[in-house]
Structure formats: structure tokens, C-alpha cells
């Protein structure tokens, strides 16, 4: 199924925040998580993900830090901040409302 660009854009923030609520993560891992959770229906690129992550960081919803993996590779991880949890709750309420209208 081809998702509209508008729907992909509207869902990016809550999806990223929801992933980071579970655990800190880095870019490729976020892309992989979305792809797996959607059974390969939602496929993000780095060019789509990183501008959103940078905006979330600029707005104080997430913060980044560098961490070296067991293989010795440095990766930039992102963690959800308390204000990001509140933002996720707000998004979830909005999506619940949209879903209830669609389901009626």
C-alpha cells in the first residue's frame, strides 16, 4: 500500500516519540523499527528521518548523545525527554480522535 506523503509527514513525530519511549535509539534503528512494525509498508529514508529528529531535538522533545557500539562504531543516539512524553500523549489523543471518526 502506498501511504500518502501527508500521512507519512503527519505520523512521523508521534511514531518517533513512541519508539523512543520504549528505548533510546539511533537513526538506522528507528528506520528499521518502523519498517518491521509496519510489515515493510512504511519505509523511511534517512533524508526523511533526520530533519524530523533535528526538529524534535531543537524543540527539546528529544536529546542526542554519542555512544560507541560493541563493534566500536560511534552512533548518535536519541532519547525522549519529559516534555517529549507529554507531546506524545497529546499526539496519541489526537490520533485516537481521528481514528474514532474514521471508525464510525
Amino acid at each position: 500500500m502506498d501511504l500518502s506523503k501527508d500521512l507519512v509527514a503527519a505520523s512521523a513525530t508521534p511514531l518517533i516519540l513512541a519508539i523512543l519511549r520504549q528505548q533510546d535509539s539511533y537513526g538506522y534503528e528507528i528506520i528499521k523499527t518502523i519498517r518491521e512494525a509496519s510489515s515493510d509498508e512504511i519505509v523511511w529514508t534517512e533524508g526523511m528521518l533526520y530533519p524530523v529528529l533535528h526538529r524534535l531535538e531543537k524543540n527539546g522533545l528529544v536529546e542526542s548523545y554519542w555512544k560507541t557500539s560493541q563493534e566500536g562504531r560511534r552512533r548518535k543516539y536519541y532519547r525522549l525527554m519529559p516534555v517529549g512524553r507529554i507531546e506524545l500523549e497529546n499526539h496519541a489523543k489526537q490520533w485516537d480522535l481521528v481514528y474514532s471518526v474514521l471508525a464510525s
Side-chain angles (χ1 to χ4, degrees):
M1 167 189 329
D2 287 332
L3 293 178
S4 75
K5 289 181 181 182
D6 290 339
L7 184 57
V8 171
S11 63
T13 293
L15 289 175
I16 292 168
L17 295 177
I19 289 168
L20 295 178
R21 178 183 57 197
Q22 301 301 317
Q23 67 182 24
D24 295 1
S25 191
Y26 56 93
Y28 176 74
E29 188 174 51
I30 293 170
I31 290 171
K32 184 179 168 190
T33 299
I34 292 295
R35 181 178 226 152
E36 289 173 357
S38 70
S39 300
D40 293 329
E41 293 288 335
I42 302 174
V43 180
W44 288 355
T45 63
E46 291 178 2
M48 184 248 117
L49 175 65
Y50 285 106
V52 178
L53 282 171
H54 294 154
R55 180 177 45 80
L56 294 174
E57 187 171 25
K58 179 182 173 191
N59 292 335
L61 304 177
V62 303
E63 73 175 1
S64 64
Y65 62 94
W66 290 96
K67 182 177 174 184
T68 303
S69 69
Q70 293 178 348
E71 299 84 29
R73 184 175 178 165
R74 287 188 68 211
R75 291 189 171 118
K76 190 175 194 177
Y77 279 77
Y78 296 86
R79 77 167 51 100
L80 187 61
M81 301 302 293
V83 69
R85 288 186 185 278
I86 294 168
E87 184 70 14
L88 176 57
E89 290 173 16
N90 291 334
H91 276 275
K93 289 175 187 174
Q94 292 172 34
W95 280 96
D96 285 344
L97 175 61
V98 170
Y99 178 77
S100 69
V101 172
L102 288 172
S104 62

